[in-house]
Amino acid sequence: MAQDASVIPRSKTAIAELTDSITADPTAIPGSPGDVPAVCQGQAFLVILALPGGGAGSAYTAAVLTIGMNESATAALHPLHPAAALPGAELHDELRDKLSRGVVESEGALVFGAHRSSGSPTEAIARMGWPDLTHYECQVNSFHLEDHAPVEVTLLEDGQPQIGHADQVTLLRLGLAVTDAVCGLVRAAIPGTPIRCIISVNDTNGVFRFHRIRSGERWGVHDLDQYRSDMVVTVDDQP
């Protein structure tokens, strides 16, 4: 990994646009001459950018986005043109309503405001047998992307849903748009909190989930290529 990747002032850039730039050219994101904010490591990408804010005397706050993909997701999203991503204005009404209710914190857990229940995370973990807060968050903060996208889901004779490849790519792109929104929500509600957004899509469904990044806790496996039947994208936002 390059040690001198530059941090350049930028307005908040959609994750989908960053991904487009990286998959097209893993050495740089378009901008002023000499910009080198992205470094490719296999299917993992490091993006360093600066976002408005940072307190008195500072116009920008440095942020690090680490984008990981397995091989099938990389192939599906290359090239991903920004115009093909789903901007917030085109999000399904129910999805926009979910995001508009923000992210809240409860007993150290981050939860979609729209998913928050009357019970506590501690009670839910004990009742369900989940090992930690990360697993709690990934369960509570997950939802099916196909419920909020213009994709065709057909049912086979055995009742199993089926989604075509082109529509699976649409779900990946929608997941990137949701990721961009969630990163903004967490930055606004709990500044300085690192999170991981996870998008997984296959021929039966697409799922988005997110969790706070914690030492010693993890959802899923580190090697994304172990997911043979899913296209998987992870985005770590580490302010």
Side-chain angles (χ1 to χ4, degrees), residues 120-203:
S120 73
T122 301
E123 293 171 347
I125 289 173
R127 182 175 67 254
M128 301 303 296
W130 295 324
D132 48 45
L133 283 175
T134 295
H135 281 72
Y136 167 82
E137 289 170 335
C138 284
Q139 294 288 352
V140 174
N141 292 321
S142 69
F143 65 88
H144 280 256
L145 293 164
E146 70 271 16
D147 293 337
H148 307 284
V151 299
E152 181 179 358
V153 182
T154 59
L155 293 179
L156 302 180
E157 291 184 0
D158 61 1
Q160 178 173 293
Q162 191 74 22
I163 301 174
H165 181 74
D167 282 341
Q168 291 177 50
V169 177
T170 296
L171 295 180
L172 278 179
R173 290 170 173 158
L174 175 58
L176 291 171
V178 173
T179 294
D180 184 51
V182 169
C183 288
L185 292 174
V186 173
R187 284 179 173 275
I190 313 101
T193 300
I195 65 167
R196 174 172 297 140
C197 297
I198 305 169
I199 309 159
S200 58
V201 177
N202 56 38
D203 60 3

Side-chain angles (χ1 to χ4, degrees), residues 1-47:
M1 181 179 298
Q3 300 299 314
D4 59 348
S6 47
V7 177
I8 57 173
R10 301 171 65 94
S11 59
K12 192 170 188 296
T13 307
I15 302 290
E17 295 185 23
L18 289 172
T19 307
D20 173 53
S21 302
I22 297 166
T23 54
D25 178 359
T27 62
I29 293 175
S32 60
D35 289 349
V36 191
V39 179
C40 174
Q41 287 192 316
Q43 268 67 57
F45 309 105
L46 172 66
V47 180

Side-chain angles (χ1 to χ4, degrees), residues 202-238:
N202 56 38
D203 60 3
T204 64
N205 63 74
V207 176
F208 174 90
R209 52 173 55 90
F210 81 94
H211 66 84
R212 185 198 296 263
I213 296 176
R214 301 177 179 86
S215 177
E217 297 183 11
R218 185 177 183 88
W219 172 272
V221 299
H222 180 74
D223 181 5
L224 299 182
D225 283 322
Q226 290 188 34
Y227 295 103
R228 301 293 185 182
S229 60
D230 292 69
M231 296 183 284
V232 181
V233 178
T234 63
V235 179
D236 291 1
D237 183 14
Q238 303 180 75

Side-chain angles (χ1 to χ4, degrees), residues 5-121:
S6 47
V7 177
I8 57 173
R10 301 171 65 94
S11 59
K12 192 170 188 296
T13 307
I15 302 290
E17 295 185 23
L18 289 172
T19 307
D20 173 53
S21 302
I22 297 166
T23 54
D25 178 359
T27 62
I29 293 175
S32 60
D35 289 349
V36 191
V39 179
C40 174
Q41 287 192 316
Q43 268 67 57
F45 309 105
L46 172 66
V47 180
I48 302 178
L49 64 156
L51 305 180
S58 177
Y60 294 90
T61 299
V64 176
L65 301 177
T66 305
I67 304 173
M69 304 182 197
N70 63 359
E71 289 186 4
S72 58
T74 302
L77 293 174
H78 178 71
L80 173 60
H81 300 291
L86 297 174
E90 296 183 12
L91 295 180
H92 189 283
D93 286 347
E94 291 183 6
L95 181 51
R96 280 192 286 130
D97 178 66
K98 180 197 299 291
L99 296 173
S100 72
R101 296 170 67 177
V103 172
V104 297
E105 186 173 21
S106 176
E107 297 182 3
L110 302 181
V111 182
F112 278 123
H115 292 190
R116 186 176 185 180
S117 65
S118 58
S120 73

